[in-house]
Amino acid sequence: MDVLLQQFFNLDIMAKALPLVLQGLKTTLLICLIVIPMGLIGGVLVALASRSTVRALRVSVTLLVDLMRALPPLVVLILVYSGLPFLGLRISPLTAVVIAFFLNNAAYYGEIIRAGIESVPAGQWEAARSTGLRADQAFTWVILPQGLRNVLPDLVSNTVEVVKLTSLASVVSLQEMLYSADMARSLTFNASPIVLAALIYFALLWPAVRLVSRLEHAAAR
Amino acid sequence: MSEASELSAGGTGTMRPPHPLLDIRGLHKSFGTIEVLKGIDLAVSPGELVFLIGPSGSGKSTLLRCYNRLEEASGGSIWFDGQEVLADRIDINALRRRMGMVFQSFNLYPHMTALGNVTLALRKVLKKPRAEAERIGMAALEGVGLAHKAASYPGELSGGQQQRVAIARASALEPGLMLFDEPTSALDPELVGSVLQAMRDMRAAGMTMLVVSHEMRFAREAADRVVFMDGGVIVEQGPPEQIFGSPRHERTRAFVSEVAR
């Protein structure tokens, strides 16, 4: 029991690791602030493209979405980070993470948003257009807000996944929270910094997970 | 010349003024291989209330939806206020806001208040500043007796109230013509009256109206002209007394006696 406490819940070590882990948390949050909005915007574009009348656009977006859903995100990340230099493009770990996660997020958010858009009755579109709104105005003010609201639980749920996904960035030596915690672990020969990071992830995401449950409950009623 | 257009010419007699607000000539519409409209000729004069009646599947709603190009006609021409509606280069959005449309299922925006529903196009299409749009919107809601529900969401309103908000949404844009696509068909009987009243008020204010509806009592009382459609053609048209009192065509007689029962 003592060993367990010493190795996993060592408060002294946690206190020592805290500044480093918090430094990593900042990077984690920075990644989130970049990739979540980008992914949402990309998702709207993917949703639009997948409903386009232009066949070539539909096909290429379907290809992207299928690829991203079938490939492990880690593979995409390493491919971007280690592959692009072969094309003469040297990129920072952060850029690689942003590119890889953008592709991944756009695909997943895109599928969710497409389902949301398709759940809005055709009459909404007709009513909006009948008052003289252009297609883009009808989409922005009438269709999209309703579509997003209809899939809100899925959007929040996917966002939780995105935050968890940021821990993959440690693989390309981006010093986000997991990377920092693991560094602290190797310096202290103790797992407590990892537990600390886990606790912070939990504190960060648990409210969101609860929110998803409540939203799903509300939607089922 | 089809049988339909001969009859339609007979129905309106010499009353048709030289410049109809809406003038439809030889309108055809097919969905795939199914021809829904088989050559419709119809003219609507300013201030006229024209009722379209006929069995379901006769093409009434499709005809209405061709006017503002929610459906694309397969052939023929539509002139509205001196403009060719089916022309390629027409500004369809400018045209649509001058043809208000009211739907069977209301189609209010559920995520906006009643006032938000009415002001959206005022702000985005007519580019009115918010305050002015809200003033116009409130006046339009007042016109249908719902100013006190301005802050309510559609989900909090009865069907009759929702439909009146939908009427206000269309009329706030000051259209030259109002299209009603079975405006009371989705309503409980006790809620129909308030919607018909809003339409009566609109008529009294001189609005040109084209109404697809099964409200025969209302047609008899308010319509200037009743157009009977069946099988994608206009079978007969004329003043309500003629259509309901002494229809000339056998199919009209059969339909009218059927709905009168």
Side-chain angles (χ1 to χ4, degrees):
Chain A
M1 193 65 197
D2 253 11
V3 179
L4 197 73
L5 282 178
Q6 279 297 315
Q7 279 304 313
F8 289 90
F9 295 95
N10 191 321
L11 292 179
D12 289 340
I13 287 182
M14 279 189 187
K16 264 188 217 141
L18 190 63
L20 191 62
V21 172
L22 286 182
Q23 194 61 40
L25 174 63
K26 263 195 215 163
T27 305
T28 293
L29 293 178
L30 174 73
I31 300 171
C32 290
L33 282 178
I34 297 172
V35 299
I36 292 171
M38 272 179 69
L40 281 168
I41 292 166
V44 172
L45 296 177
V46 163
L48 277 174
S50 68
R51 293 169 54 80
S52 162
T53 50
V54 183
R55 203 182 125 80
L57 198 59
R58 272 202 324 270
V59 170
S60 42
V61 157
T62 306
L63 201 70
L64 172 81
V65 169
D66 285 5
L67 210 60
M68 286 304 135
R69 292 176 71 174
L71 288 179
L74 187 53
V75 173
V76 178
L77 176 58
I78 292 179
L79 211 59
V80 169
Y81 184 62
S82 317
L84 286 184
F86 286 107
L87 298 174
L89 286 168
R90 212 146 264 297
I91 53 173
S92 71
L94 182 62
T95 310
V97 165
V98 167
I99 293 173
F101 285 10
F102 172 71
L103 293 174
N104 182 280
N105 290 349
Y108 277 92
Y109 278 127
E111 284 293 282
I112 295 169
I113 293 169
R114 186 173 60 84
I117 291 170
E118 283 170 1
S119 73
V120 179
Q124 291 292 312
W125 178 257
E126 293 184 347
R129 295 307 304 274
S130 80
T131 61
L133 290 173
R134 293 191 312 265
D136 62 301
Q137 292 174 320
F139 180 76
T140 307
W141 302 105
V142 176
I143 306 299
L144 189 61
Q146 294 184 58
L148 292 181
R149 197 169 65 170
N150 290 350
V151 290
L152 196 57
D154 294 333
L155 284 176
V156 178
S157 182
N158 192 59
T159 305
V160 170
E161 291 304 316
V162 173
V163 176
K164 291 197 279 189
L165 216 58
T166 59
S167 60
L168 291 185
S170 59
V171 174
V172 293
S173 325
L174 189 60
Q175 296 180 19
E176 46 68 69
M177 188 155 67
L178 179 61
Y179 187 94
S180 308
D182 198 43
M183 205 155 76
R185 176 199 56 79
S186 63
L187 290 174
T188 57
F189 300 106
N190 191 297
S192 298
I194 305 287
V195 173
L196 178 63
L199 289 173
I200 295 175
Y201 276 122
F202 184 76
L204 212 59
L205 293 179
W206 187 60
V209 171
R210 285 303 336 142
L211 178 66
V212 171
S213 287
R214 278 180 46 193
L215 288 173
E216 280 170 347
H217 222 74
R221 256 190 294 124
Chain B
M1 274 301 237
S2 70
E3 168 197 42
S5 50
E6 278 168 39
L7 281 164
S8 65
T12 45
T14 54
M15 292 299 288
R16 184 185 290 185
H19 294 297
L21 180 66
L22 183 69
D23 197 356
I24 293 103
R25 303 258 175 90
L27 199 74
H28 285 261
K29 171 66 185 176
S30 301
F31 293 103
T33 56
I34 300 160
E35 197 173 24
V36 180
L37 299 176
K38 302 172 181 169
I40 300 287
D41 297 299
L42 184 67
V44 180
S45 307
E48 209 181 3
L49 194 162
V50 175
F51 236 80
L52 281 172
I53 63 169
S56 55
S58 57
K60 307 168 305 245
S61 290
T62 306
L63 180 61
L64 215 58
R65 295 158 60 85
C66 282
Y67 296 157
N68 64 358
R69 291 178 68 172
L70 284 183
E71 300 284 359
E72 290 292 351
S74 316
S77 67
I78 300 172
W79 288 83
F80 172 67
D81 207 7
Q83 267 187 306
E84 168 58 293
V85 174
L86 301 182
D88 285 338
R89 280 183 304 171
I90 194 166
D91 181 352
I92 188 64
N93 298 314
L95 189 101
R96 279 180 176 148
R97 78 121 191 109
R98 293 194 294 127
M99 280 195 206
M101 190 161 203
V102 174
F103 301 85
Q104 178 176 354
S105 48
F106 329 134
N107 297 348
L108 289 184
Y109 316 133
H111 59 302
M112 295 181 189
T113 62
L115 186 60
N117 268 271
V118 178
T119 54
L120 181 66
L122 287 167
R123 291 174 54 205
K124 304 298 171 191
V125 180
L126 297 183
K127 310 282 180 209
K128 306 261 189 213
R130 180 185 283 269
E132 193 191 348
E134 289 186 348
R135 190 180 51 71
I136 297 170
M138 284 306 291
L141 286 174
E142 184 78 60
V144 294
L146 287 175
H148 63 293
K149 294 288 186 185
S152 301
Y153 285 86
E156 301 161 353
L157 300 173
S158 75
Q161 291 171 331
Q162 287 190 53
Q163 192 60 299
R164 281 144 68 200
V165 172
I167 290 172
R169 175 172 66 182
S171 69
L173 298 166
E174 298 188 337
L177 171 73
M178 284 285 294
L179 308 170
F180 291 86
D181 189 3
E182 307 208 16
T184 57
S185 300
L187 295 176
D188 292 334
E190 72 270 22
L191 300 175
V192 168
S194 66
V195 171
L196 294 184
Q197 189 53 48
M199 292 170 70
R200 252 180 229 114
D201 294 345
M202 209 172 225
R203 160 127 186 74
M207 177 62 73
T208 311
M209 296 159 74
L210 200 51
V211 183
V212 170
S213 171
H214 299 296
E215 296 290 335
M216 298 302 161
R217 281 234 314 268
F218 182 66
R220 213 181 281 243
E221 155 211 327
D224 294 303
R225 181 155 45 112
V226 178
V227 175
F228 173 64
M229 281 180 72
D230 193 11
V233 297
I234 293 176
V235 175
E236 181 172 353
Q237 56 178 311
E241 310 84 70
Q242 175 197 323
I243 300 296
F244 296 115
S246 52
R248 291 168 190 174
H249 201 286
E250 181 49 43
R251 276 195 280 173
T252 318
R253 201 170 303 145
F255 177 77
V256 169
S257 67
E258 181 71 25
V259 294
R261 270 192 297 146

